[in-house]
Amino acid sequence: MGIGASDELLGTFVPIAVYWLYSGLYLALDGVERLDVYRLHPREEEAAKNVVSRGTVVRGVLVQQAFQVAVSLTLFAVIGDESDIEQKQPSALVILLQFAIAMFVMDTWQYFMHRYMHINKFLYKHIHSKHHTLVVPYSFGALYNHPLEGLILDTIGGALSFLVSGMTPRTSIFFFSFATIKTVDDHCGLWLPGNILHALFNNNSAYHDIHHQLYGNKYNFSQPFFVIWDKILGTYMPYSIEHRKGGGFESRPVKLNIAEQTKTD
C-alpha cells in the first residue's frame, strides 16, 4: 500500500478516533462534580429531558460513522491515483486557503440542509427530530442523527468540502479532525473558562444549546464553524451567558430577557 493510500486511510479513520477520544475527555470531565459550575444545564436535566439513553446514542453514532467510512473509502477509490506516487503537499499558505474554502463550503451546505430539515415537517418528524431528542446536549451525542441525516449533512458535506477545496488526503486528516473537535465541543454542554474555541468562534456550545431548546428550534442553524448565514438570513438568536440559580451557567436568549422585562414594566 503506497503513501497516498495510507493518507486516505488516515483521513478516513483518524477523525473517528478523534471523535471518541475528545468526547471521552469531556465524559471524564463530566464526572468531576466541581466542574458542575460550568455546566449549561443542571446535571439532573439530562435524565429528565433527554428521551434516549447514552447506550442508544453510542450505537447511533457508530452506525453513522460506518456510513461515513463507506462513503469516504468509496470517494478515495474513485478519485485516487493508482500510480503510487506520493501527492506533493502545497505550501502552508495554500493549505490555509484550502481550509478556509472547506470551512465555508461545509458551513454553507450544513446551514441550508439543516434549516430545510426544520422547515420541512416530514423531514423534521421522521429524520431530524432524532438529533433533537437530546435537549441537553453532551459531547459524544454530537453525531447522534438519523443515518440519512448523517449521510446528507455530515458525510456529503464533508465530501463536498474536500472536493471543492482541492485539499490532499493528507490535509484532510487535519481538516476533518479539527471539524470533529469543533462539533464535539459545540455539544459538550459546558462553558469552560479558557476554551480557545469559544474565543475564536461565535458558533460554540452556548450558541448551539439555544438551538436545542424549544424556543430556539427555528434559530441558530449554522454549524460547525461560523454564524454568518444565520446573521445574513435573520435566523440568529442573540443570547447572553448568565449564572444560573443553584450554580452553573445558562445560555439565555436576549429576546426572552426583553419580553420578561416588558412584562415586569
Side-chain angles (χ1 to χ4, degrees):
M1 182 177 293
I3 296 294
S6 295
D7 288 343
E8 291 158 3
L9 288 175
L10 289 172
T12 299
F13 290 103
V14 167
I16 293 175
V18 168
Y19 182 89
W20 292 109
L21 289 171
Y22 193 60
S23 60
L25 172 63
Y26 272 118
L27 186 62
L29 293 176
D30 185 57
V32 181
E33 288 191 12
R34 65 174 178 271
L35 293 182
D36 284 0
V37 295
Y38 301 115
R39 293 177 63 93
L40 291 171
H41 292 269
R43 186 178 292 273
E44 58 271 15
E45 276 193 12
E46 181 185 322
K49 293 185 175 182
N50 292 349
V51 297
V52 290
S53 68
R54 289 193 167 198
T56 300
V57 170
V58 169
R59 290 191 293 272
V61 172
L62 289 173
V63 169
Q64 174 167 334
Q65 289 176 332
F67 277 94
Q68 179 181 320
V69 168
V71 172
S72 177
L73 293 179
T74 300
L75 175 64
F76 284 135
V78 170
I79 67 172
D81 182 2
E82 297 183 0
S83 64
D84 267 352
I85 298 175
E86 181 178 352
Q87 190 173 355
K88 185 179 179 181
Q89 284 291 99
S91 66
L93 184 61
V94 171
I95 290 175
L96 288 175
L97 178 61
Q98 290 173 337
F99 260 64
I101 293 171
M103 291 166 80
F104 176 76
V105 171
M106 183 174 286
D107 268 16
T108 300
W109 175 264
Q110 293 207 2
Y111 174 86
F112 287 101
M113 291 297 102
H114 183 195
R115 184 175 178 181
Y116 185 65
M117 286 189 177
H118 277 265
I119 294 172
N120 187 296
K121 293 181 179 179
F122 177 86
L123 291 178
Y124 184 82
K125 179 180 179 180
H126 296 284
I127 296 178
H128 187 56
S129 61
K130 182 172 182 177
H131 182 68
H132 280 272
T133 55
L134 296 181
V135 178
V136 179
Y138 49 78
S139 58
F140 62 88
L143 292 183
Y144 179 65
N145 301 309
H146 188 284
L148 183 59
E149 177 180 350
L151 178 65
I152 294 172
L153 257 70
D154 299 309
T155 307
I156 294 180
L160 288 173
S161 300
F162 174 79
L163 294 171
V164 174
S165 66
M167 65 175 61
T168 65
R170 182 167 298 179
T171 300
S172 76
I173 299 169
F174 299 97
F175 175 74
F176 290 117
S177 293
F178 175 60
T180 297
I181 287 171
K182 184 68 176 59
T183 300
V184 170
D185 203 81
D186 293 343
H187 289 80
C188 70
L190 296 172
W191 189 256
L192 292 173
N195 187 327
I196 190 170
L197 293 177
H198 291 173
L200 294 175
F201 298 95
N202 290 328
N203 193 330
N204 50 46
S205 57
Y207 160 90
H208 196 66
D209 182 73
I210 292 290
H211 177 72
H212 272 258
Q213 309 313 308
L214 183 61
Y215 52 74
N217 194 257
K218 296 188 184 298
Y219 297 90
N220 294 10
F221 297 111
S222 294
Q223 53 187 34
F225 299 110
F226 305 106
V227 299
I228 298 171
W229 287 114
D230 273 314
K231 290 195 172 183
I232 291 175
L233 297 176
T235 54
Y236 177 77
M237 179 176 278
Y239 62 91
S240 59
I241 305 295
E242 300 181 6
H243 288 280
R244 186 178 58 245
K245 291 182 179 179
F249 288 104
E250 180 181 15
S251 51
R252 189 167 180 79
V254 172
K255 288 184 178 180
L256 290 186
N257 289 343
I258 294 174
E260 287 186 0
Q261 184 177 354
T262 303
K263 290 179 182 178
T264 303
D265 294 343

